[in-house]
Amino acid sequence: MDPLATAWSALGGDPALLARVSTVERPGALRARLPVRETARACVGACALAAAELEARRAGLAGAPAVRVDDGAVATAFVSERHLRIDGRAPVAFAPLSRFWRTADGWVRTHANYPHHRARLLTALGVPDRPEAVAAALAERSAREAEEAVYAAGGLAVALRTPGEWAAHEQGAAVGRLPLVERGRLDCAPPRACTRVGRDPLLPAAGLRVLDLTRVVAGPVATRTLALLGADVLRVDAPWLPELPDQHADTGFGKRSARLDLVADRSTFEELLATADVVVTGYRPGALERLGPAPGALAERRPGVVVAQLSAWGTLGPWGGRRGFDSLVQAATGIAAVEGSPRRPGALPAQALDHGTGYLLAAGVLRALTEQLDEGGSRIVRVALARTAGWLLDGAADERAGSEGTPGGGGCEEVPADAWLAQRESPLGTLRYALSPVSFAGGPDDWARPPGPWAADPARWG
C-alpha cells in the first residue's frame, strides 16, 4: 500500500480525501537504503490532509483545501536543527559521549546529550568523563551487558540489533502488535462546537489550547505544528530538568514556554488542565500518570479533551517504561544495521523517527478534533518511535524504495534547501530556520511568533 494511504488509514481518515493530495517528488532528498523519503512524505502529507479536513469542517468550506507535499520542504524540515542559525551561529551537535561504541561482541549506542544522562552513563561504567575511558570500559563488556548496566543506573544505551533480532525480542514483538497510530474514545462527552468565522490564512486549530508536556524532538515537532495551525500552545517543563537551548530554539516556534513544579504548584497545573483542549505528553509511560494526568482522569476533569501520548518503545512490553531517543531506537530496531556496513553501524539521513512520529502525532490530534465534531467523546491518541521504525523497515520491501538509495544516510545535499528556509528577528537573535512542510491551499506559510527564551513565560494561558 502507498505509504500515505497507510498513514491516512491508521488515522481513520476517509480514503476519498487522498485525492486532495499532490506531491512534488525529488529523488535526491533523504537518500538512504530504507524508504525514508517516502515515509517522511507520508507523515507530512497525512498531517497536512488532517489539517485541511479540520479546516473545512470548522470553517464550513464545501470541500477540503488542496494539499501539496514537496519532498524538498519535507527533507529540509526533517533536518531543521542542521539549518538553524542564531545570529549566524550553527547549533551545538551531539555531545561527545552520544555515539556508537565497540563492545566485546559488537556495538552499543549511548545517548548523553543531557548532563544527568551523561553522569549516569559514567556512573554505570565507573569511569571519568573522557571518551577514551568510556571506550575502554565498553570494550570489555558485551553489548547486552552494557545496555542493561547503563539502564539500571538511569542512563541510556542500547545494543545494536538486526531487524530479525529486534523482531525476536520481547519488546520488538510487543511493539509489532501495535497499530501505527493508536486511537480511542474515553467517554461520551458531547460533540465539540464546529463553526467559527473564517480566517486568512486558514487556521484549523485557531482558538484551541494545547498543553505541551513534551521534550526533545518528536513531541515538540507535533506541538510546533499545532502552533503553526493556530493553536495556543503552552509548553511546560519541570524546573529541575535541563533543556538544550538550540534544541528549544528549533522546536519552539509558535509557542510560549514556562517552568512549573507539577507537585508543589498543583493548583496552577490544575488550572491549566481545566481549560486545555489538547494535552500532549512525551515523557516515558507512567511518569506523568503518577501526578494524576492519566487519560481517563483528564477526561473526567475536562470532558472533550484530546490526550496525545508519545513514547519511545510503546506502552507495553518490558521496555514500556524506559526512556529512549531516535538514535537509540534506530540502533535497537535494526535500522542502524541496515543503514551501516559490516564494519560499522549507520544512521538515517535525518532523525526521521522523531520528525515523522511528531507529524503523525499532530495528525492524530487533528483527526481526533474532526471526529469530535460529529461524534463527541474525549479522545486518546498514542504513537511510538519504535512503531514508526517498524513501519519504515516494513517499507523496505516495497519496490518503490528501489535502487535509488545509498548507504548510510547520504543526507539531502542534492536538494538545495534555500527555498524552504526563512529568516526573522526574535528574542534569541536573528534566526535562520526551516519552514514547516505542512502545506494546504490558503493555510499558513510561517509561525505567528518566533521562539523566545526557554521557560521565560508565565505558566498561564495567553
Side-chain angles (χ1 to χ4, degrees):
M1 182 183 288
D2 173 72
L4 175 58
T6 298
W8 189 241
S9 175
L11 292 161
D14 179 358
L17 288 177
L18 290 170
R20 303 298 297 159
V21 183
S22 63
T23 61
V24 179
E25 297 190 15
R26 303 180 189 272
L30 297 174
R31 290 168 64 94
R33 287 179 173 147
L34 294 169
V36 178
R37 176 170 62 97
E38 294 86 347
T39 303
R41 182 200 303 147
C43 293
V44 171
C47 185
L49 186 56
E53 176 191 35
L54 179 59
E55 176 60 32
R57 291 298 313 281
R58 293 194 73 199
L61 304 180
V67 169
R68 184 173 181 268
V69 187
D70 191 310
D71 283 350
V74 174
T76 302
F78 267 55
V79 290
S80 59
E81 69 282 355
R82 301 181 202 169
H83 293 296
L84 180 68
R85 296 293 183 272
I86 304 174
D87 288 334
R89 178 185 62 80
V92 176
F94 273 83
L97 300 187
S98 295
R99 49 174 267 199
F100 275 107
W101 308 84
R102 274 202 175 276
T103 63
D105 63 348
W107 295 88
V108 69
R109 181 70 157 99
T110 58
H111 193 288
N113 285 6
Y114 288 101
H116 56 299
H117 292 156
R118 181 180 68 249
R120 292 167 185 171
L121 171 66
L122 297 172
T123 297
L125 300 178
V127 297
D129 189 0
R130 297 199 308 271
E132 62 272 19
V134 173
L138 289 172
E140 297 176 352
R141 304 183 184 217
S142 72
R144 306 292 174 86
E145 178 189 1
E147 175 183 90
E148 291 304 319
V150 173
Y151 264 105
L156 293 147
V158 297
L160 177 72
R161 290 174 172 82
T162 65
E165 289 170 336
W166 176 247
H169 190 278
E170 188 176 352
Q171 188 61 36
V175 173
R177 292 190 292 268
L178 296 175
L180 180 60
V181 181
E182 294 182 78
R183 304 163 51 250
R185 182 168 174 164
L186 297 171
D187 60 18
C188 296
R192 183 179 292 275
C194 178
T195 58
R196 63 163 172 77
V197 177
R199 294 172 180 262
D200 184 18
L202 304 178
L203 297 171
L208 300 175
R209 289 175 168 174
V210 176
L211 185 58
D212 179 1
L213 303 175
T214 71
R215 292 171 57 78
V216 196
V217 178
V221 164
T223 52
R224 180 180 71 181
T225 302
L226 296 174
L228 172 82
L229 299 171
D232 177 9
V233 180
L234 175 63
R235 173 173 161 173
V236 173
D237 286 277
W240 55 86
L241 288 177
E243 180 56 294
L244 305 176
D246 293 342
Q247 187 170 267
H248 170 71
D250 178 47
T251 60
F253 283 86
K255 313 177 195 178
R256 289 174 297 112
S257 170
R259 278 183 288 191
L260 184 69
D261 186 326
L262 303 188
V263 175
D265 202 351
R266 187 59 183 239
S267 61
T268 301
F269 185 43
E270 294 289 349
E271 289 173 6
L272 293 174
L273 291 173
T275 56
D277 298 289
V278 179
V279 179
V280 186
T281 69
Y283 293 81
R284 69 186 189 279
L288 282 171
E289 280 79 352
R290 291 194 298 271
L291 301 175
L298 286 173
E300 290 179 2
R301 300 176 194 177
R302 175 67 164 154
V305 71
V306 175
V307 182
Q309 296 182 321
L310 164 77
S311 65
W313 309 106
T315 56
L316 303 176
W319 288 15
R322 289 191 176 188
R323 301 174 180 87
F325 294 92
D326 182 304
S327 59
L328 301 180
V329 176
Q330 287 191 42
T333 59
I335 288 174
V338 172
E339 291 292 337
S341 69
R343 296 184 59 191
R344 186 173 181 83
L348 298 177
Q351 293 186 74
L353 304 182
D354 266 334
H355 286 268
T357 307
Y359 289 112
L360 286 177
L361 186 60
V365 169
L366 296 166
R367 287 250 55 252
L369 292 166
T370 297
E371 290 176 335
Q372 286 180 328
L373 299 178
D374 291 326
E375 305 168 10
S378 302
R379 304 282 169 152
I380 177 72
V381 179
R382 289 193 182 101
V383 293
L385 300 184
R387 184 62 189 88
T388 304
W391 179 38
L392 176 61
L393 286 161
D394 290 342
D398 193 318
E399 290 183 358
R400 293 183 316 102
S403 60
E404 71 181 46
T406 57
C412 57
E413 289 81 5
E414 296 183 28
V415 180
D418 290 352
W420 301 286
L421 298 177
Q423 183 169 301
R424 70 196 298 180
E425 297 302 316
S426 80
L428 303 177
T430 302
L431 300 182
R432 189 195 76 175
Y433 58 97
L435 294 167
S436 174
V438 175
S439 175
F440 60 91
D445 297 322
D446 202 346
W447 288 273
R449 57 186 293 166
W454 176 67
D457 297 300
R460 63 172 180 266
W461 296 113

